[in-house]
């Protein structure tokens, strides 16, 4: 099931008795869980295993109280007759990653909704509800700082709004101040992933900005190189497979979606050339023949040509 179909079903109050949610955009996932609970007037209850509620779902609640059960990464779940819930409850299975070879996920493919990281353009639309359009440059920085995570972006916007109220300045000015004074929290490992993401998108402005941030934060060049190599190999696998990509490669759903975004800005010949440069730089750094900063700049130059 596509996310847009779930949106349509919620608007029409046509809710299934259960769903399988998977993906990295936890914040958006939680928004939909709350919407479904509010629509059906259910209390949200988080449990560990489906087996603990299996029997109670087959009969109407004697207490007149119903729940939206959220079950996180239940590896024992087989579903059984879950599509015949009679209690008035709703069950949502939440998984970080789905193994499409398992019978449970094959059987309930139509009830599965993927919540992948939103594209930057979509996140910008949310940001522009709070900041003026002339602040696009700063909004993009905010999005990168939050690793394109909707929930974190909304959390930071809330802090920015509070700062604007306290200092009696505009939200635009508060955003600029939060960014310039590095008041927006960014996990160290996020810098590397944001940088590599920008490099794979061949986004020159963000790439150099994030590289400076990574180096200022003491990140190792070899760690950046390692993540970059993984992503280049993923894109090469994607480009080299025409059908049934998930079955014929080791790529997960999230990686495939990323490759779909990247593929238009890369040719295989260029990818192989970049990979060759990266390998030479990696060897040069390890043997002391190339300085760290010199090496990473050689890589950026080759990628952003």
């Amino acid at each position: 099931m596509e996310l847009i179909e779930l949106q349509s079903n919620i608007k029409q109050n046509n809710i299934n008795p259960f769903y399988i949610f998977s993906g990295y955009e936890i914040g958006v996932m939680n928004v939909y869980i709350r919407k479904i609970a509010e629509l059906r007037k259910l209390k949200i209850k988080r449990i560990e295993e489906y087996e603990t509620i299996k029997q109670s779902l087959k009969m109407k609640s004697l207490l007149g109280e119903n729940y939206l059960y959220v079950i996180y990464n239940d590896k024992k779940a087989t579903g059984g007759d879950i599509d015949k819930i009679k209690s008035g409850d709703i069950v949502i299975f939440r998984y970080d990653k789905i193994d499409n070879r398992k019978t449970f996920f094959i059987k309930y493919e139509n009830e599965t909704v993927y919540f992948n990281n939103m594209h930057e353009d979509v996140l910008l639309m949310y940001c522009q509800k709070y900041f003026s359009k002339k602040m696009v440059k700063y909004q993009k920085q905010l999005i990168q700082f939050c690793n394109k995570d909707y929930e974190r972006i909304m959390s930071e916007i809330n802090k920015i709004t509070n700062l604007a109220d306290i200092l009696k300045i505009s939200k635009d000015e508060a955003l600029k101040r939060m960014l310039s004074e590095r008041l927006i929290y960014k996990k160290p490992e996020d810098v590397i992933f944001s940088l590599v993401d920008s490099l794979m998108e061949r986004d020159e402005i963000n790439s150099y900005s994030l590289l400076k941030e990574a180096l200022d934060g003491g990140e190792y060049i070899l760690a950046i190189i390692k993540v970059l190599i993984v992503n280049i190999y993923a894109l090469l696998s994607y480009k080299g497979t025409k059908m049934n990509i998930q079955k014929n490669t080791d790529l997960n759903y999230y990686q495939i979606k990323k490759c779909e975004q990247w593929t238009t800005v890369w040719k295989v010949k260029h990818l192989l050339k970049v990979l060759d440069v990266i390998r030479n730089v990696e060897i040069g750094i390890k043997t002391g023949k190339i300085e760290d900063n010199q090496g990473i700049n050689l890589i950026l130059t080759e990628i952003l040509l």
Side-chain angles (χ1 to χ4, degrees):
M1 178 186 291
E2 294 291 333
L3 183 55
I4 193 166
E5 187 180 344
L6 177 62
Q7 291 172 345
S8 175
N9 288 349
I10 289 172
K11 284 180 182 176
Q12 295 171 27
N13 198 8
N14 180 24
I15 308 296
N16 291 352
F18 86 101
Y19 294 95
I20 299 170
F21 285 0
S22 180
Y24 295 85
E25 197 57 84
I26 306 301
V28 180
M29 195 183 294
N30 287 335
V31 167
Y32 280 89
I33 288 172
R34 288 194 296 269
K35 277 186 178 180
I36 293 171
E38 288 169 10
L39 188 65
R40 289 298 175 87
K41 295 180 172 55
L42 302 174
K43 290 183 179 180
I44 297 172
K45 194 171 187 178
R46 302 182 189 276
I47 60 173
E48 293 184 6
E49 292 184 358
Y50 170 62
E51 282 296 320
T52 60
I53 59 167
K54 187 175 178 180
Q55 293 304 318
S56 66
L57 295 174
K58 295 179 180 179
M59 57 191 78
K60 289 187 177 182
S61 172
L62 298 174
L63 301 174
E65 197 167 46
N66 293 110
Y67 296 95
L68 189 160
Y69 293 102
V70 180
I71 309 170
Y72 181 60
N73 280 345
D74 184 357
K75 294 179 182 177
K76 297 177 184 177
T78 57
D81 53 358
I82 191 170
D83 47 350
K84 297 175 182 176
I85 294 174
K86 295 180 180 178
S87 62
D89 300 300
I90 291 175
V91 178
I92 295 179
F93 292 93
R94 232 194 74 189
Y95 290 92
D96 292 330
K97 187 178 177 182
I98 280 178
D99 185 348
N100 289 311
R101 297 168 297 180
K102 289 190 174 180
T103 306
F104 178 56
F105 300 119
I106 294 171
K107 183 178 180 181
Y108 297 117
E109 183 181 359
N110 291 334
E111 284 77 25
T112 302
V113 185
Y114 292 95
F115 291 81
N116 300 297
N117 282 349
M118 294 182 183
H119 193 274
E120 187 178 86
D121 291 343
V122 178
L123 292 169
L124 270 174
M125 287 172 59
Y126 283 103
C127 288
Q128 284 169 2
K129 292 179 181 179
Y130 303 90
F131 310 108
S132 63
K133 289 185 178 179
K134 67 180 181 181
M135 297 293 291
V136 167
K137 171 186 168 184
Y138 299 99
Q139 291 169 48
K140 285 185 175 182
Q141 286 181 28
L142 172 64
I143 290 167
Q144 290 294 334
F145 263 59
C146 295
N147 202 26
K148 298 183 179 179
D149 184 315
Y150 170 83
E151 190 167 40
R152 285 179 58 193
I153 291 168
M154 290 299 109
S155 175
E156 295 299 337
I157 287 176
N158 187 49
K159 293 177 192 173
I160 291 164
T161 301
N162 289 338
L163 180 67
D165 290 341
I166 292 166
L167 299 180
K168 300 200 179 330
I169 57 177
S170 69
K171 289 177 188 173
D172 285 359
E173 188 58 39
L175 171 61
K176 286 172 70 174
R177 185 172 294 194
M178 291 277 282
L179 288 168
S180 65
E181 295 181 13
R182 296 182 179 274
L183 297 175
I184 294 175
Y185 173 69
K186 185 169 180 60
K187 293 190 289 187
E189 66 269 23
D190 285 350
V191 182
I192 292 180
F193 290 114
S194 295
L195 168 59
V196 170
D197 203 34
S198 288
L199 286 171
M200 294 302 294
E201 291 171 1
R202 300 182 71 194
D203 180 341
E204 185 174 352
I205 295 172
N206 274 325
S207 292
Y208 280 106
S209 171
L210 287 164
L211 175 62
K212 183 179 184 306
E213 186 183 338
L215 298 180
D216 288 348
E219 297 293 352
Y220 291 107
I221 298 298
L222 290 175
I224 297 170
I225 288 173
K226 183 179 178 181
V227 177
L228 187 55
I229 288 172
V230 168
N231 282 278
I232 289 174
Y233 274 123
L235 186 53
L236 284 169
S237 294
Y238 176 86
K239 281 182 168 288
T241 309
K242 301 299 180 186
M243 296 177 65
N244 298 324
I245 293 171
Q246 200 158 12
K247 287 185 179 179
N248 295 325
T249 68
D250 290 328
L251 303 179
N252 59 40
Y253 186 87
Y254 174 74
Q255 288 174 307
I256 291 170
K257 284 296 179 184
K258 281 291 181 185
C259 288
E260 286 175 359
Q261 294 174 24
W262 301 333
T263 191
T264 55
V265 296
W266 287 97
K267 292 183 178 178
V268 171
K269 188 176 179 181
H270 189 195
L271 277 170
L272 293 172
K273 189 177 179 183
V274 168
L275 196 57
D276 189 47
V277 170
I278 291 172
R279 287 300 190 195
N280 288 331
V281 166
E282 185 180 29
I283 292 167
I285 290 173
K286 287 179 177 178
T287 57
K289 293 179 180 178
I290 297 177
E291 293 289 332
D292 284 11
N293 286 357
Q294 179 192 5
I296 195 65
N297 279 309
L298 284 170
I299 292 170
L300 259 70
T301 300
E302 188 60 49
I303 288 174
L304 301 171
L305 274 174

